[in-house]
Amino acid sequence: MKTTYLPKLARGEILGAVAISDPATSSAEEPPACAVVTDEAIRLRGTKRFVVGAVGAGLFIVYASTERGAHDRPPGRMLLAVPSTTPGLTVAPRDPLVGVRASGSAALEFDDCVVPTAMVIGQASEARRIGKELLASADLVVAAQAVGIGTAAMEKAVERARERETDETLVGSHQSVQFMIAEMQLQLNASRLFVQRAVDARSESDSAYQAAQAKAFAGRAAVETADRAIHILGGDGSLADHGIERHWRDAKTCELNPSTRESAQLLVARHLLEEVS
Amino acid sequence: MITLDLTEEERMIIEMVRDFSATELGGVAHEIDIEKRVPLEAIKKMQDLGLFGLLIPEEYGGSNVRAIASARVIEELSRVCAAVAITVSVHNAVGAFPIRMFGTEEQKKRFLPRLATDAIGAFCLSEADSGSDAASLKLRATRDGDAWVIDGTKLWVTNATLAGVFLVFVRSDPDPSLGHKGITALLVERDTPGLSVSKLEDKMGIRASDTAELAFDSVRVPVENQLGVEGEGFKVAMSALDNGRIGVGAQALGIARAAFGEALRYAVQRRQFGQPLADFEAIRLMLARMDTDIQAAALLVYRAASMKDAGLAYGPEASMAKLYASEMATRVAHAAVQIHGGYGYVKEYPVERYYRDARVTEIYEGTSEMQRIVIARSVLGKKRSRGSSS
């Protein structure tokens, strides 16, 4: 699997995407992706949602449930590498997201996709752990993304504060603007330090906690920074021409990807309670 | 937890401070808060342990630890008793350190060995009409032969009743157009005739540290006690405050860690509706936010200290650390009281003290508003951010 896919992924000849999120409601029309395991192959059925980069991806890493009791296996989780060309796999129309709209996020529908057992990643017993690691990696990426979005929004706001005069008063001479700039600088600095710390802790036992915390903080900081930046630009901030409303919308996705702010905070809380018990 | 790159000696100092805090301060922190009593016995022991010489070079009898270790010491003390912590921090950061930075060799030899062992330092900048606008201070000093003669009062002097040496900022030139350029720093010995404590403040928090008004009645200070250049005292004050802000950030961090520890323990033990509080999602989210808030402050405080240790300009970083940590400590202590419910509002539990102690960190050594001005100026440039003459 490594020799087939990693060089192509490294060269960018094929793009990878990760399918973790299940549909919000498990309904008959939209069941979560479920794998039926036989000796020869695995059949995938159901749906995965919010797959970032689904449009254009050549290979999907799919985190699937395994069917209860199939071949006497306990119900569990399984990680599979699924090429986009697999018969029965459909990439749904692009999700109409609030932000990062060019990311090609879409749902995946599996209609009895046959996946060879050779495409299973890791042992069945490792699937949950690997799934958590994937989530931690994604948290870290989104935390860094949030820092970038926040920095871009702040740069535009600082430029406006320095250059523009309204009623012969420099925008940046207003204390309200100065205080917003101070808050941006502070939150983005702390966000960068959080990301750095989470990167340093990548091989530590608390890496998932570190990544979730970095994401929860940096995501909020990005939203608040972009929000303040809009206010510093005033009416211009709401115009698409200035790009800040895009940063504002993009920032919001950092509080939703790869999981919600609340999910990240609950992961942090579980870690704290495990430490104390 | 962040793993800090501390030396073996620094680790030992912090370990010692943790033990000392638990054994010597843990039992009395509650009582001395209620009685507004400065724990003189404990302070004497801390002098013997060298905690008052942390920022003083070895050749003058101190231990000269790095800012990062000094911040950790203040943090550990604050986890148990924030009042004692500020006594130490004020002495180290804005009492002794400016002498190290701006003193002549003769002044260092005269003052630093005493400050490292038995004399406590104090910092006198604020006045009744001059708080955040420190450059407008009025305490008048006139030259008379080889002495400065000081008349007037200073406010909010931490360590006022304990101090042996006061760093006093005076208006040495009455020309009002000079502003901060008419200010000079003087070192005043406690036993100088005419110097007295005129009013002890009754504070909301950190009640076991003394804060007082200081009266100067024709106090004669020999010119050899002038710290730095005449008319350049404001520079001494601002440099001291940059340093002090790391200390206040560390103090706020320690208070918050203590409040969080109590809240976490209580949330696990306390049962309502048949389950521990910690099993309720709302409480879990509060705990997660408190921890994230604390970690953010820790990153900022340690970062500012590391920059100082690396010899980099760290003023805006110290302001960010102080601003975030102080407001964070109030938020975290507020949440800790909330998790305790009624028990959080009574003195049987320590969280109400943490809440009261945290509040002042948003005010002293530069209010949150002044920190925001400093930070904004570092981003926007000086002329674009008015509101302070500093």
Side-chain angles (χ1 to χ4, degrees), chain A residues 205-241:
Chain A
S205 61
D206 65 350
S207 59
Y209 153 79
Q210 301 273 8
Q213 188 159 61
K215 198 212 81 131
F217 187 93
R220 189 87 284 258
V223 171
E224 290 183 3
T225 297
D227 198 82
R228 291 188 172 105
I230 286 185
H231 281 265
I232 290 174
L233 267 81
D236 282 351
S238 65
L239 295 174
D241 325 18

Side-chain angles (χ1 to χ4, degrees), chain A:
Chain A
M1 201 186 318
K2 283 184 187 173
T3 51
T4 313
Y5 289 104
L6 287 183
K8 288 179 186 163
L9 287 165
R11 288 194 296 266
E13 287 169 19
I14 57 169
L15 300 178
V18 181
I20 295 184
S21 294
D22 285 324
T25 52
S26 300
S27 59
E29 300 83 57
E30 210 180 41
C34 189
V36 181
V37 183
T38 65
D39 289 337
E40 305 79 45
I42 293 145
R43 303 180 91 83
L44 266 177
R45 289 173 197 147
T47 304
K48 279 287 175 187
R49 292 202 58 200
F50 297 120
V51 181
V52 176
V55 178
L59 186 71
F60 295 104
I61 306 301
V62 181
Y63 188 56
S65 311
T66 51
E67 197 168 65
R68 184 175 297 276
H71 275 248
D72 297 329
R73 290 165 196 261
R77 291 289 189 167
M78 178 175 269
L79 269 168
L80 297 160
V82 183
S84 57
T85 51
T86 306
L89 168 58
T90 317
V91 178
R94 204 182 283 262
D95 294 325
L97 298 177
V98 61
V100 295
R101 291 159 64 91
S103 68
S105 165
L108 297 183
E109 279 151 25
F110 301 94
D111 182 14
D112 257 332
C113 287
V114 177
V115 183
T117 47
M119 298 300 270
V120 175
I121 298 170
Q123 301 293 315
S125 60
E126 295 175 314
R128 271 179 206 279
R129 180 180 60 77
I130 299 172
K132 281 179 185 167
E133 284 176 15
L134 281 177
L135 197 63
S137 297
D139 274 341
L140 198 44
V141 167
V142 173
Q145 182 193 26
V147 172
I149 295 168
T151 304
M154 179 173 170
E155 280 171 2
K156 288 175 179 148
V158 167
E159 190 189 336
R160 174 59 68 107
R162 279 187 178 146
E163 312 297 340
R164 182 65 68 91
E165 286 192 359
T166 52
D167 298 332
E168 294 177 8
T169 307
L170 200 62
V171 169
S173 69
H174 289 284
Q175 215 157 46
S176 59
V177 172
Q178 291 168 19
F179 278 30
M180 287 195 277
I181 300 257
E183 219 57 50
M184 293 174 170
Q185 174 79 340
L186 176 53
Q187 290 193 352
L188 290 174
N189 263 331
S191 298
R192 283 186 200 103
L193 293 168
F194 263 124
V195 171
Q196 185 60 55
R197 185 182 71 155
V199 168
D200 291 344
R202 282 285 280 130
S203 53
E204 306 289 325
S205 61
D206 65 350
S207 59
Y209 153 79
Q210 301 273 8
Q213 188 159 61
K215 198 212 81 131
F217 187 93
R220 189 87 284 258
V223 171
E224 290 183 3
T225 297
D227 198 82
R228 291 188 172 105
I230 286 185
H231 281 265
I232 290 174
L233 267 81
D236 282 351
S238 65
L239 295 174
D241 325 18
H242 294 272
I244 292 201
E245 61 85 38
R246 176 169 63 85
H247 296 318
W248 188 56
R249 290 185 289 102
D250 286 352
K252 192 63 216 173
T253 68
C254 299
E255 290 207 292
L256 300 165
N257 287 336
S259 59
T260 60
R261 177 175 76 218
E262 288 70 22
S263 296
Q265 286 172 333
L266 289 173
L267 189 154
V268 167
R270 271 196 302 280
H271 172 82
L272 296 169
L273 291 166
E274 278 164 17
E275 287 226 309
V276 79
S277 64

Side-chain angles (χ1 to χ4, degrees), chain B residues 22-38:
Chain B
T23 55
E24 303 286 335
L25 298 173
V28 297
H30 175 66
E31 184 185 307
I32 61 179
D33 166 68
I34 291 174
E35 296 171 1
K36 322 191 267 181
R37 178 163 58 82
V38 178

Side-chain angles (χ1 to χ4, degrees), chain B residues 97-129:
Chain B
F97 193 77
I99 300 175
R100 170 185 174 169
M101 289 292 287
F102 295 94
T104 61
E105 186 53 38
E106 191 267 333
Q107 285 172 333
K108 290 183 197 173
K109 281 187 182 141
R110 267 177 65 210
F111 290 103
L112 292 181
R114 286 169 55 206
L115 287 164
T117 49
D118 59 4
I120 288 174
F123 180 83
C124 315
L125 181 64
S126 292
E127 297 173 9
D129 298 324

